[in-house]
Amino acid sequence: MEALIPVINKLQDVFNTVGADIIQLPQIVVVGTQSSGKSSVLESLVGRDILPRGTGIVTRRPLILQLVHIDPQDRRKTNEENDSKKNGRLYRGIDGEEWGKFLHTKNKIYTDFNEIRQEIEAETERISGINKGISNEPIHLKIFSPHVVNLTLVDLPGITKVPVGDQPKDIELQIRELIFKYISNPNSIILAVTAANTDMATSEALKVAREADTDGRRTLAVVTKLDLMDAGTDAMDVLMGRVIPVKLGIIGVVNRSQLDINQKKLVADAIRDEYAFLQKKYPSLANRNGTKYLARTLNRLLMHHIRDCLPELKTRINVLAAQYQSLLNSYGEPVEDESATLLQLITKFAAEYCRTIEGTAKYIETAELCGGARICYIFHETFGRTLESVDPLGGLTTIDVLTAIRNATGPRPALFVPEVSFELLVKRQVKRLEEPSLRCVELVHEEMQRIIQHCSNYSTQELLRFPKLHDAIVEVVTSLLRKRLPVTNDMVHNLVAIELAYINTKHPDFADACGLMNNNIEEQRRMRMRDLPAAVPRDKAAVGGAATATAAATEQADASTGGWRGMLKRGDDGAAGDRATPQSLFPSSPQKGHAVNLLDVPVPVSRKLSAREQRDCEVIERLIKSYFLIVRKNIQDSVPKAVMHFLVNHVKDCLQSELVGQLYKPVLLNDLLTESEDMAQRRSEAADMLKALQKASQVIAEIRETHMW
């Protein structure tokens, strides 16, 4: 059990070498208000004056103090601690049996404890400045002595309420955050220091300890300055736990007064006086209080705490070792064969790019669609729905259809709907499919551009080592995609142009639609015939209907040649009945002898369509819709195929050869494989951390082999 604390000290040394606190090691954290006697308690445990003294806030940086017990017979420092084989220095007597080491001074040995105190003051001012500000960066001090027990303690700045001097206004908040950083560690023991001449119910140390350790399993209370209580009072109830119970116990100590410190009273003499005071004032509790009992209790608590924490520490260390091994692997080894490395990286990137399109990539994105999955979504969801949302008759009014029919007849009245009007209008509608088709190409091109970044971030992290190679690969792939974009756009444009070049009215689907439409018209004619009165013979009705239709067609033809033709016809009829009033036909006509401008006659902008006009427009609209749906189906099928052939598959097939042809050149090797500035440093840091974790794992494994836990 006693050997467990040196194990933690070894682990602390291992992680100190890499300057990391990723592992929360068991330790004793000392908290209390200013002038509560924290420093005196620590010095009593060390047995030497090592901490700065003064008024106000003195401890302004965390001090991680490791006490290492050494055999009094061993006067020579070991190779691990002082490299004695090199300097051969022996420490005998009072000067040689105790010494200290700081982490920041490397292998420098301090045998004068006054120098240790001065170094703490100097290091504090170096980081925290000469004012009363604090810093989170700890000072690591290790004390070797035959008069100490194995402990690891953390001395923190005292809790304060009011800023003093040029302290920041939030000094209280800063100190609380620093304290909670350490006492929130579940592997720590909280040593809450409170002066006996204050009310325990108002103890700030116990308050913050309870906030971090709600069940009190990690808190030990220390009551200082027992000799300074008011006359007629004692701390019996406090030490017995009757005022505020503490699970790990309450231990009272007697500190050296400021006069004792000024007069250089030794800590050993102060401990003897403390024992005498306890025997006199608290005889029944003397054996369970005092500095020596506190040291033994802390040693025992820490050993048991370490024993409970070691299994979890071992698991945590193994997990971190695996993580840093993976991180180190991602950084790669230093480049030896530049040609082979470049070719390997190019091949790996090209393969990963193609696998991302095919959906077989090693790293599958879970947050959003990417690669081939997004291309499929563009084809069948984005592009497909966009085409389906295009109205076959969008932007086409009945007047537009009627105008096209009339324009297609020329100066002659037409007995039938001209086919030219249908082709003219259907081409106009089919042309509207070109824009969404080109937009589909653009979306696929953008996704293939995004795949480059996806492969760089998730799949081929080795490229991050070589930023110039990464930029060059991005440029080559981007250039290849840019070259294929106009080719693909041209093909898509041609697909629409092909549909516009020949309107195939003999298409099977279109012929079926026309047949169905003719059947509907014939059915409507039969229904009209069925509704005729019974007295009218069917053959006469048919003849009459035909005559009526012919007359209507003639009238229609007259009207279709322009409103002025009908007006002229009506004018002639009117002249036969009343030739005395020619002014009524053309009220604004010029005088006799001048030409008549027929364009001055107003033409109605909108009017009610005749039955034939309505029927002709409906026929054309139905034909347009039927043929448009056929073309849309063709475009919806052919555009994705064209994009896959001319863009996606071409890039997949040519990517590696393009990269090799553009980048695999002897003159570019050295430049492309230049690592980023911080990559070598990060690789070194990861290697050091992995080495530290592996060493820590070995230390714990050695303890396990000795059956200590």
Side-chain angles (χ1 to χ4, degrees):
M1 287 288 290
E2 185 66 28
L4 288 178
I5 296 179
V7 169
I8 296 301
N9 289 339
K10 287 183 180 180
L11 293 178
Q12 185 71 57
D13 293 341
V14 167
F15 293 117
N16 285 344
T17 59
V18 293
D21 56 355
I22 58 174
I23 296 292
Q24 295 179 320
L25 298 174
Q27 55 193 6
I28 300 171
V29 182
V30 184
V31 297
T33 58
Q34 288 185 19
S35 304
S36 62
K38 294 189 296 82
S39 298
S40 297
V41 171
L42 290 175
E43 288 183 338
S44 298
L45 295 174
V46 176
R48 289 295 194 111
D49 294 332
I50 61 170
L51 300 177
R53 293 284 182 170
T55 58
I57 182 170
V58 177
T59 304
R60 297 189 286 125
R61 288 178 59 184
L63 175 64
I64 299 179
L65 178 62
Q66 292 177 261
L67 304 182
V68 181
H69 177 79
I70 60 174
D71 190 342
Q73 302 300 323
D74 185 10
R75 295 292 191 260
R76 187 185 300 272
K77 293 196 289 185
T78 62
N79 294 337
E80 180 182 1
E81 300 299 341
N82 68 347
D83 200 14
S84 61
K85 289 186 178 180
K86 293 183 179 180
N87 55 36
R89 183 175 181 181
L90 298 178
Y91 293 87
R92 301 182 181 278
I94 192 69
D95 292 331
E97 65 180 4
E98 296 179 301
W99 66 87
K101 285 179 61 176
F102 287 98
L103 177 64
H104 63 273
T105 58
K106 305 301 181 183
N107 294 325
K108 184 176 181 180
I109 305 300
Y110 294 84
T111 56
D112 186 349
F113 283 81
N114 289 326
E115 292 184 8
I116 292 178
R117 183 173 63 253
Q118 294 171 3
E119 180 62 29
I120 293 175
E121 293 175 349
E123 181 65 11
T124 298
E125 292 183 357
R126 186 179 69 85
I127 300 297
S128 302
I130 59 176
N131 59 9
K132 298 297 183 179
I134 65 171
S135 171
N136 294 341
E137 186 175 344
I139 299 174
H140 293 268
L141 172 62
K142 185 181 290 188
I143 300 294
F144 300 86
S145 173
H147 309 299
V148 299
V149 295
N150 292 313
L151 288 175
T152 300
L153 304 124
V154 180
D155 186 23
L156 297 174
I159 301 172
T160 185
K161 292 291 185 182
V162 181
V164 177
D166 55 356
Q167 285 182 339
K169 295 182 179 180
D170 62 340
I171 186 66
E172 178 186 4
L173 180 60
Q174 291 184 23
I175 294 176
R176 284 181 61 87
E177 289 179 351
L178 178 59
I179 291 174
F180 274 98
K181 176 183 176 182
Y182 284 89
I183 65 176
S184 297
N185 173 12
N187 296 332
S188 66
I189 295 176
I190 304 173
L191 190 64
V193 179
T194 304
N197 55 359
T198 61
D199 189 353
M200 284 286 289
T202 62
S203 172
E204 287 289 334
L206 289 175
K207 178 182 177 182
V208 297
R210 183 168 295 178
E211 292 179 17
D213 179 29
T214 55
D215 55 2
R217 298 176 57 187
R218 300 186 289 115
T219 302
L220 174 68
V222 175
V223 179
T224 62
K225 305 181 181 180
L226 291 176
D227 56 334
L228 298 182
M229 297 188 67
D230 294 339
T233 62
D234 59 36
M236 185 66 71
D237 290 341
V238 172
L239 297 177
M240 294 291 291
R242 297 169 185 166
V243 178
I244 296 180
V246 180
K247 287 187 178 180
L248 294 185
I250 302 175
I251 299 176
V253 296
V254 177
N255 298 17
R256 289 183 298 168
S257 65
Q258 188 62 44
L259 179 62
D260 295 336
I261 296 173
N262 295 339
Q263 293 179 351
K264 308 296 183 182
K265 183 176 183 178
L266 298 177
V267 175
D269 296 338
I271 292 177
R272 284 195 297 268
D273 293 344
E274 176 192 52
Y275 179 75
F277 174 83
L278 292 175
Q279 288 289 346
K280 178 181 178 181
K281 188 71 173 179
Y282 306 96
S284 61
L285 301 177
N287 294 332
R288 287 180 291 165
N289 289 276
T291 301
K292 289 186 176 181
Y293 181 78
L294 174 62
R296 292 195 302 269
T297 301
L298 290 175
N299 179 263
R300 174 178 55 82
L301 291 175
L302 187 58
M303 285 191 298
H304 286 284
H305 199 61
I306 292 172
R307 181 193 61 189
D308 297 337
C309 295
L310 273 180
E312 183 181 351
L313 281 176
K314 181 178 183 297
T315 301
R316 173 67 173 161
I317 289 173
N318 291 338
V319 170
L320 286 174
Q323 292 176 352
Y324 274 92
Q325 181 66 63
S326 176
L327 181 63
L328 187 61
N329 293 339
S330 68
Y331 293 153
E333 299 294 334
V335 178
E336 296 180 357
D337 188 344
E338 292 183 342
S339 299
T341 301
L342 179 59
L343 187 60
Q344 178 184 2
L345 291 174
I346 289 176
T347 303
K348 186 173 182 180
F349 178 87
E352 192 62 33
Y353 190 92
C354 295
R355 284 196 293 266
T356 303
I357 295 177
E358 296 167 358
T360 58
K362 181 179 179 181
Y363 297 90
I364 300 298
E365 182 67 55
T366 59
E368 61 178 355
L369 293 178
C370 70
R374 179 173 285 274
I375 293 175
C376 179
Y377 183 87
I378 292 171
F379 285 156
H380 302 291
E381 298 293 334
T382 306
F383 178 59
R385 291 181 179 178
T386 301
L387 288 188
E388 292 174 0
S389 67
V390 178
D391 184 5
L393 300 176
L396 195 63
T397 65
T398 304
I399 297 299
D400 294 336
V401 176
L402 181 61
T403 302
I405 294 174
R406 295 167 70 179
N407 286 335
T409 61
R412 295 174 300 279
L415 296 177
F416 306 99
V417 178
E419 186 176 348
V420 176
S421 61
F422 162 71
E423 291 194 8
L424 174 67
L425 293 173
V426 81
K427 286 182 179 180
R428 170 180 167 181
Q429 298 305 102
V430 169
K431 183 69 175 176
R432 298 168 60 215
L433 298 176
E434 183 175 19
E435 182 179 353
S437 301
L438 294 175
R439 177 57 181 162
C440 176
V441 178
E442 183 181 352
L443 291 175
V444 174
H445 176 268
E446 291 175 357
E447 177 57 28
M448 297 191 71
Q449 192 74 33
R450 290 177 66 248
I451 296 176
I452 304 174
Q453 193 63 34
H454 173 82
C455 294
S456 301
N457 292 341
Y458 299 100
S459 306
T460 53
Q461 293 187 3
E462 293 91 338
L463 286 179
L464 300 179
R465 295 176 55 192
F466 312 107
K468 292 186 178 180
L469 175 60
H470 176 267
D471 294 342
I473 289 178
V474 171
E475 183 178 354
V476 171
V477 181
T478 302
S479 176
L480 178 60
L481 291 172
R482 192 183 303 116
K483 286 190 297 184
R484 298 306 302 174
L485 184 59
V487 178
T488 310
N489 283 335
D490 290 343
M491 183 59 198
V492 171
H493 176 78
N494 288 335
L495 289 176
V496 179
I498 289 171
E499 297 291 346
L500 296 174
Y502 180 66
I503 304 301
N504 183 16
T505 56
K506 292 296 184 181
H507 193 283
D509 295 339
F510 186 69
D512 294 342
C514 290
L516 180 62
M517 186 164 50
N518 289 334
N519 292 336
N520 292 336
I521 295 175
E522 183 64 22
E523 180 65 22
Q524 293 175 4
R525 189 186 69 80
R526 285 197 297 267
M527 291 178 63
R528 288 197 300 268
M529 294 290 291
R530 198 178 299 119
D531 294 337
L532 288 175
V536 180
R538 296 294 175 180
D539 53 347
K540 293 184 178 181
V543 173
T548 304
T550 302
T554 304
E555 182 181 354
Q556 170 70 23
D558 291 340
S560 65
T561 58
W564 54 270
R565 176 187 286 268
M567 289 184 176
L568 285 177
K569 187 175 184 298
R570 290 193 299 272
D572 292 340
D573 295 340
D578 186 9
R579 298 183 180 274
T581 57
Q583 301 296 329
S584 62
L585 178 62
F586 299 108
S588 59
S589 59
Q591 297 179 357
K592 185 176 180 180
H594 294 274
V596 178
N597 185 1
L598 298 181
L599 297 180
D600 290 341
V601 179
V603 179
V605 178
S606 62
R607 60 182 175 82
K608 184 178 180 180
L609 300 181
S610 66
R612 176 172 178 173
E613 289 175 337
Q614 187 70 31
R615 185 194 64 188
D616 291 347
C617 290
E618 290 179 358
V619 169
I620 291 295
E621 289 175 354
R622 291 179 183 179
L623 292 175
I624 291 173
K625 184 175 182 180
S626 175
Y627 195 83
F628 181 87
L629 295 179
I630 295 172
V631 175
R632 186 174 72 182
K633 182 178 179 181
N634 295 340
I635 293 295
Q636 191 170 355
D637 178 66
S638 58
V639 167
K641 293 178 179 178
V643 174
M644 287 298 299
H645 177 73
F646 287 93
L647 180 61
V648 180
N649 291 342
H650 183 89
V651 171
K652 283 173 52 182
D653 297 339
C654 301
L655 180 59
Q656 182 167 354
S657 60
E658 188 76 12
L659 288 172
V660 172
Q662 295 288 338
L663 303 180
Y664 192 69
K665 299 177 181 179
V667 294
L668 299 177
L669 288 177
N670 189 33
D671 185 53
L672 292 177
L673 295 180
T674 301
E675 287 189 321
S676 59
E677 297 179 357
D678 60 338
M679 182 56 66
Q681 179 181 354
R682 286 191 289 176
R683 185 191 299 110
S684 176
E685 292 175 352
D688 292 342
M689 181 59 70
L690 179 61
K691 184 178 179 181
L693 290 167
Q694 291 173 343
K695 188 174 181 180
S697 182
Q698 292 175 358
V699 171
I700 295 180
E702 292 173 359
I703 298 298
R704 187 173 184 178
E705 291 176 359
T706 58
H707 305 287
M708 289 189 173
W709 55 280

